[in-house]
Structures are given as C-alpha cells and as structure tokens.
Amino acid sequence: MKSRVESVFAHLEKKPDVVLLANSVEPHLDNSFFHLFDVPSGLFEGSIEVAHPDGHLDLLTGALEADSAELAAQRDPHTTVHRVGRGEIGPLLARLVPAGATVGLNYRELTHGGYLQLGEMLPGRSFVDAGVGLARARAVKDASEIERIRRAAAIGSQVGTEIPSLLRAGMTELELAAEMEYRMNRLGANGRSFSTIVGFGAHSAEPHYAPDDTRLRPGDSIVCDFGAWYRRYACDITRSFHFGPRDPELKAVHECVERAQQAALETLRPGIAGKEVHAAAAAVIDASPWKGRFTHGLGHALGLAVHDGGTGLAPNVDDLLEEGMVVTVEPGIYLTGRGGVRIEDDVVITKQGYEFLTTAPRGYLEVDA
Ligand code: GLY
Ligand code: MN
Ligand code: MN
C-alpha cells in the first residue's frame, strides 16, 4: 500500500525535497500531521514531521507522547519516531533536511512564530507552500478513514433520532445541547466535533448560533447542528423540528429544504463540480417564495476537521468530486426574526453516486408541546 506521504507528494505540483509539518500548541495543531501519522490519541504539541518523497516519515516528538507514537509506528512501516528533548530538535532537523533543500510547509496551519523558528533552525533552506497538496491528499478518504467517519455519523444519527423525545417546554438551549453531547459520549464519541448549535425560535434562523439560556416555547422552530468526534474523525449533522402548534409556513419551508437537498443528492457522482451540486439545491430554493434565504454554501469536506478543506459544494468550487470524498449536503432557509430550517447529511462519493453516512429521519416533524 502506498503511504499517505507518497500521496501528498503526488498532489504537489512543484515537488519540494521534503515536506515539514510543525505543530504549535492547542488549538494550533495541524490536522495534516495526523493524516500522515495515524495515532489514536495525544496532542503532539511542538512535534514535527519530515516527510520524504520515497514515502518515509521522520517524526520528532517529546517524552509526553513518544510511547504512544512508538506503539502506533509498530503498525506503520513508513515512520521512524525520534524521541527528542529540548535543544535536540534543531540539530536533528538540520541532519534530516539537507542544506540547500526546498522545504514544503503548510502555510494554512503553521503559526508565524513556528515559521520564524524553522528559519532559525534551518538556515540556507528555502520554504514553499505545500498547503494545497496536503489538503487535496486529505480530500479522498481511505477505507479506515471512512470507517471512522461512518462510526462518528452513526453516533450523531442515533442522537439525532432521539432529539424529539428530549424536547420539553421550558428547557433551555444549553440543556438540550448538554444532553445531546452526553449521549454522544455515552455512545462512544471522543467528544464533539465542534461547538453544538441548538437554536430555538428566532435563533434557529442564525446558521452558526451559540446556544444560551433561552427557553423552548410552543410554536418554536428548532435547529440542532452537532457532531461526534470519533478517533480524530468528525461527523456533522443538522436536524430541524417544530415544537407545538403547526406553522404552515415553516412546514412548507421544511419541505422546500428537503426538496433542495434531494435535488443536490441526485447530482452527486464522481466528475461533477462542487458548484454544480450547489446550483441544483439553490435552483429549488430560488424558485420558491424564499429566494435569497439560502445564505451559505451547500456543503464542505469532512474528515479530520469538520471543515476539512480540499474541496466543497459551493458556487466558487470548480473542483470535481471523486470517489472516496466525504462531503456534507446542507441546504437551509432562514427567516430572520422568525425561524429557520437546515437539513445536513454526510455522504461518501461512490463509483455510482453517493452513500449516506448519516441516517436520522430528516422529514418534517411537529413535536407535541
Ligand atoms: N456545523 C457547521 C456546519 O454545518 O458547517
Ligand atoms: Mn453542521
Ligand atoms: Mn456542515
């Protein structure tokens, strides 16, 4: 099997002599670091990887995580772990990166301080950006990555299915969010993949809302956008409900969002551009009374990060979908001051089309108040 390092070099237009990834401190960790070296736990703050075109990876790490790195490296014939103390990193890096070498860095993730430090440790080397190649190499998932996203999505779907039974008049958005996160952890998640969004009433019209102590009232629409994190891989699912007395407009909005999602799903296949998939959903909403109320891109790549980069489904994305990519499909309609509906699912692109990873019911549901 080709190593992930070889895949990164294959995706780089101009090949540097090495690719170097340097973690800073949480939250400034580079997810590509964990793409090149698959280790189930640990932050690896201050750790460095040097990737070589022949597929080999040198990993420099401290006492905190060297044991788990060595354990993981027993399953990975491409990686050498170097246990380094303070003061040893510079001299070792100078040996691993030849004088005069061109070094590919991840400009999207490396901190400015980290960049300056590398310049001091590696005089006479030139730095270039390898960010696009690193992101593209991550966009197509292998079987073990898809399995983990599938597991994260199964956890999110189970909780999504349970939400209607959790709703009580007078509960706060934060109470519902806490209950959802607790249930994900009980089901095997290593935490949440991003800050859980629970919006009641007018708050459900704000796509990236942060829950507060607002209480649930009959007549509220509800948007819950959340995800499990499972062994470093994310899911991202949104379900929308209506609490109490029927609201004909919000029911029609929900049905329109469902039709928009279905139209987009029907276009999914290898070779279609991200912008065409977005356009299929947007056309449905633009033909409805809610034209102009779909205010974001249709979806994004999903993987080690909830917004994984590399590709997406949005008006500016010319990239073509490929088998093995995992993306979200999440149309929404937002009526400011009143309420909103978003339906978000995670899918993997297959040879023939797509497969759902998230499975919770997505149809309109009025929950008795
Ligand atoms: N959870 C944010 C999003 O759906 O992209
Ligand atoms: Mn989401
Ligand atoms: Mn999303």
Side-chain angles (χ1 to χ4, degrees):
M1 193 180 90
K2 271 195 160 185
S3 78
R4 289 182 183 169
V5 169
E6 285 172 282
S7 163
V8 167
F9 276 93
H11 282 90
L12 287 168
E13 272 176 23
K14 286 189 186 150
K15 315 284 181 207
D17 297 303
V18 295
V19 170
L20 188 155
L21 300 181
N23 276 341
S24 179
V25 292
E26 169 101 297
H28 302 293
L29 305 176
D30 187 344
N31 275 310
S32 288
F33 183 98
F34 300 106
H35 181 243
L36 294 190
F37 185 62
D38 188 3
V39 59
S41 60
L43 291 178
F44 288 82
E45 290 179 329
S47 299
I48 293 178
E49 290 175 343
V50 181
H52 305 271
D54 66 358
H56 192 78
L57 185 74
D58 285 297
L59 187 148
L60 287 63
T61 193
L64 196 60
E65 272 127 355
D67 287 348
S68 57
E70 282 167 2
L71 201 64
Q74 286 173 12
R75 297 186 300 271
D76 177 352
H78 307 288
T79 298
T80 304
V81 175
H82 304 267
R83 190 182 283 254
V84 287
R86 262 184 230 281
E88 293 175 318
I89 294 179
L92 179 53
L93 271 188
R95 283 208 303 281
L96 294 172
V97 182
T102 303
V103 181
L105 302 175
N106 194 358
Y107 283 14
R108 299 172 180 199
E109 301 292 340
L110 184 65
T111 64
H112 189 62
Y115 179 85
L116 296 178
Q117 240 177 350
L118 287 172
E120 284 168 19
M121 289 193 286
L122 294 171
R125 283 77 165 177
S126 50
F127 297 139
V128 295
D129 185 18
V132 172
L134 285 159
R136 292 225 163 109
R138 261 167 64 181
V140 174
K141 271 64 182 180
D142 65 27
S144 94
E145 294 180 290
I146 292 171
E147 246 351 272
R148 277 179 267 177
I149 303 171
R150 191 187 296 284
R151 182 75 187 268
I155 293 168
S157 300
Q158 175 63 34
V159 172
T161 305
E162 292 170 8
I163 291 171
S165 71
L166 303 175
L167 301 176
R168 302 274 181 273
M171 78 187 309
T172 69
E173 293 167 342
L174 282 167
E175 281 166 1
L176 178 57
E179 184 62 35
M180 289 160 56
E181 292 179 9
Y182 170 74
R183 286 174 183 238
M184 288 198 288
N185 288 357
R186 285 294 302 264
L187 289 166
N190 303 118
R192 60 190 192 182
S193 53
F194 58 95
S195 299
T196 299
I197 298 168
V198 170
F200 295 159
H203 294 159
S204 61
E206 193 182 322
H208 281 164
Y209 175 73
D212 66 15
D213 56 5
T214 299
R215 293 188 184 278
L216 184 59
R217 292 173 314 181
D220 279 347
S221 55
I222 302 169
V223 168
C224 300
D225 183 351
F226 60 103
W229 195 47
Y230 179 75
R231 293 189 55 205
R232 296 197 192 280
Y233 282 79
C235 102
D236 184 10
I237 174 170
T238 306
R239 290 295 181 261
S240 302
F241 309 94
H242 195 77
F243 189 65
R246 174 184 292 267
D247 181 318
E249 185 179 14
L250 284 166
K251 180 172 191 283
V253 165
H254 194 112
E255 287 164 355
C256 181
V257 173
E258 262 190 282
R259 282 201 309 280
Q261 193 196 41
Q262 190 55 40
L265 290 167
E266 282 167 14
T267 69
L268 288 176
R269 56 176 166 73
I272 190 163
K275 64 182 180 189
E276 290 179 68
V277 185
H278 175 95
V284 172
I285 296 172
D286 286 350
S288 80
W290 305 288
K291 182 174 163 60
R293 302 294 183 149
F294 173 33
T295 48
H296 52 73
L298 179 67
H300 51 84
L302 185 68
L304 284 157
V306 69
H307 294 162
D308 207 39
T311 190
L313 309 177
N316 60 343
V317 179
D318 294 317
D319 298 335
L320 307 183
L321 290 179
E322 293 176 46
E323 186 182 353
M325 287 181 172
V326 177
V327 292
T328 67
V329 183
E330 48 178 308
I333 293 177
Y334 308 99
L335 309 181
T336 308
R338 179 129 195 268
V341 172
R342 178 165 65 260
I343 304 172
E344 175 174 28
D345 283 283
D346 306 339
V347 300
V348 56
I349 305 302
T350 61
K351 228 188 257 330
Q352 280 78 33
Y354 72 95
E355 182 194 342
F356 275 118
L357 298 175
T358 40
T359 56
R362 48 187 75 76
Y364 180 72
L365 185 63
E366 284 169 7
V367 181
D368 288 341

